[in-house]
Each structure stands twice: as structure tokens, then as C-alpha cells.
Amino acid sequence: MLIRKPHVAGSFYPSDPAELRQFFDAYFQPTAKLIQAKAIILPHAGYIYSGQTACRVVSRIEVPGRVFMMGPNHHGLGEEFSICAEGQWETPLGKVAIDEDLAKTVLARSQHIKNDPDAHAAEHSLEVLVPFLQKKNPALRMVPMCVGTMNLARAKTVALECAEAISASREPVMIAVSTDMSHYEPDDVTRKKDRYALHAIENLDDEALVKAVKENRITMCGFIPVYMLLVMHKQLRFMKATLVDYRTSADATGDRSRVVGYAGFIIE
């Protein structure tokens, strides 16, 4: 059985299970009523920078047994749309199984998506999300897909194919999308730019997101996965997107000269 070992444990997040649980205990927020989210958007930086944002989102939702994940391919390795179709991913909290049935359904509906575990081996954008979800539901199964294209037409086609596969599932499937926002500009500039993209996401408007990113040169590394999520909104009947938390790396470091933005959304 293929087991993907954690690649950034000990750098992006604690490799010691007790330390990782201590982090979650400190930042997960109690909530009276959990939301049955259809999708979430989480950042993927080191937990010291963006972990509180992710905690605030995942604290408020029920994590179902099936999760479909989309994130950017930072390294450019592998296919444009690469999933892991079998095996397990290991984290300091244990192993998470790949949902092989959902993976087969996704592959059967698209000629563009490929089973390519090598594309995931050194990619952090989805790995750093898994412990948050695992904390809430240790029995979850997942299908991770990293996206390595800027071709909007092809991304739209694949998004609709994925939505069709998710719609066919007899069990609820939550989508978890990974992105950071603007990169390496002053804090005030970053917050102003990101507001345009955040507004488009709040309105579930894929075309407005494209316009915002292009016109304002927003260096949002998960732009295409988030675009794909918004493309799915009619097919999967998304009704509302709520911005749960936004911050920049300056909130952790105090350095406002060169920051990265982080946002967390719940989509119902």
C-alpha cells in the first residue's frame, strides 16, 4: 500500500503529536452549533502564520467522512490535475485513507485528471490542511488533487467534471480548497488588494475573481483551485460564502513591510 509520508512536518507544523494537539487545543474555538459546510477555503502557510485562521474555520464545521481537496502545485511536478487515487497519507496524528471509490469516480469523469502521487510527494499545500480535518474527524477519507495549470478554460472543464463526480456520491462530500492570498508586499497594499478577491469569493463569482486577480495583480497561489470551486457553485448549489477570518503574516511577526495574506471561508 502506498503511504505518503509527511514532507513538511517539523517545519510548517509540529512533527510531535503532543505538540500538534496542544496547538489545536489552544486555537480551536468551542461552538454551540456546527455548520454542515459544502466547502471550505483554508490557507497553507506555517501554522505560526496561518494556523489560527484554519482553526477558526474548522472549529465551526462538521467534517464529513469524505473530503475532496484542491490546492496549487508549487513545484510544477506531475500532471496539470494530479490526484492520489489509492493508499494513505500519514501525519503526526496518524494515517488518513484515500477514498478510492471517489477517486475512481473522479478519474472516470475526466480525461484531464490523472492518478499521479509523485506530484504530491513534496507539495505542502494540501498536506498542511490534513491535520486540521483529521483533528475533527479521525476517520475521514479524502481525495487530494493538486492543480498545476493557469489555463482557465481547462480548469473550468475539470471543475464541472469534479462537481459531477461529487454530486454522484451517496455520502456527503465536503470540498477543502487551499490558498494563500497576496505575497510579499506591504501590509496596507496586501489588505487592499486582497479585499477585491475576498469580495468575489463572498459573492461566489468566478468571473469577478478572475477580474480581481488580473486587474490588481493579486499573487494568490491557489487562484485556480479557488476559481474552480466558484465554478462549481451552481452545480453543487452553494448558497452562501462566509469570510471567517482574514489576517496577514504581520499579525504574527509584526513586520508590515513584506507580508502574505491568509483567508478562511465557510461555504454552505
Side-chain angles (χ1 to χ4, degrees):
M1 177 182 291
L2 176 66
I3 298 178
R4 182 196 181 277
K5 296 291 185 180
H7 184 71
V8 293
S11 54
F12 277 64
Y13 61 95
S15 58
D16 178 72
E19 187 180 349
L20 185 54
R21 290 190 181 96
Q22 186 177 26
F23 176 87
F24 290 144
D25 290 342
Y27 293 113
F28 264 70
Q29 300 176 329
T31 182
K33 184 178 180 181
L34 296 177
I35 298 168
Q36 293 183 329
K38 292 183 178 179
I40 56 175
I41 299 173
L42 300 177
H44 56 242
Y47 284 13
I48 188 174
Y49 304 109
S50 67
Q52 290 186 53
T53 297
C55 282
R56 289 188 175 192
V57 171
V58 181
S59 292
R60 301 180 190 192
I61 65 168
E62 292 183 4
V63 175
R66 302 185 113 174
V67 177
F68 182 76
M69 306 178 73
M70 297 191 297
N73 185 336
H74 290 88
H75 302 285
L77 302 175
E79 302 287 338
E80 282 187 314
F81 304 93
S82 301
I83 69 168
C84 284
E86 59 185 0
Q88 298 175 325
W89 279 28
E90 185 176 316
T91 82
L93 300 182
K95 295 183 177 70
V96 175
I98 298 299
D99 190 324
E100 296 185 11
D101 290 339
L102 180 58
K104 288 176 183 176
T105 303
V106 169
L107 288 169
R109 278 171 165 75
S110 178
Q111 63 178 342
H112 300 292
I113 302 173
K114 305 298 181 183
N115 177 25
D116 185 7
D118 289 343
H120 291 266
E123 178 53 56
H124 68 276
S125 69
L126 297 178
E127 176 186 331
V128 298
L129 270 54
V130 176
F132 294 98
L133 304 175
Q134 194 179 14
K135 159 75 174 173
K136 289 297 290 286
N137 185 353
L140 76 96
R141 293 161 292 149
M142 65 181 191
V143 176
M145 180 170 75
C146 62
V147 178
T149 186
M150 292 301 291
N151 186 311
L152 287 172
R154 194 145 54 238
K156 184 172 186 176
T157 296
V158 172
L160 295 174
E161 292 167 344
C162 290
E164 184 180 326
I166 290 167
S167 297
S169 173
R170 294 181 180 179
E171 300 175 48
V173 178
M174 185 182 75
I175 304 170
V177 176
S178 175
T179 189
D180 294 337
M181 301 301 293
S182 293
H183 288 65
Y184 309 135
E185 293 185 280
D187 188 78
D188 58 342
V189 174
T190 295
R191 290 176 183 272
K192 182 177 179 180
K193 283 188 172 187
D194 283 351
R195 184 63 252 172
Y196 295 108
L198 300 176
H199 184 68
I201 297 168
E202 287 175 313
N203 286 298
L204 297 170
D205 191 332
D206 53 293
E207 293 182 2
L209 179 66
V210 173
K211 182 179 179 181
V213 168
K214 288 185 175 180
E215 289 186 355
N216 298 283
R217 298 184 180 181
I218 300 171
T219 52
M220 179 180 170
C221 54
F223 159 51
I224 294 294
V226 174
Y227 167 76
M228 292 173 67
L229 178 68
L230 300 184
V231 165
M232 298 179 189
H233 89 271
K234 291 181 181 178
Q235 203 165 347
L236 296 180
R237 299 180 181 179
F238 299 158
M239 301 303 295
K240 180 173 69 170
T242 303
L243 178 63
V244 175
D245 191 68
Y246 175 82
R247 65 186 65 214
T248 72
S249 55
D251 293 304
T253 66
D255 180 0
R256 301 190 179 278
S257 64
R258 195 168 181 263
V259 307
V260 179
Y262 310 114
F265 281 89
I266 294 174
I267 296 173
E268 301 172 71

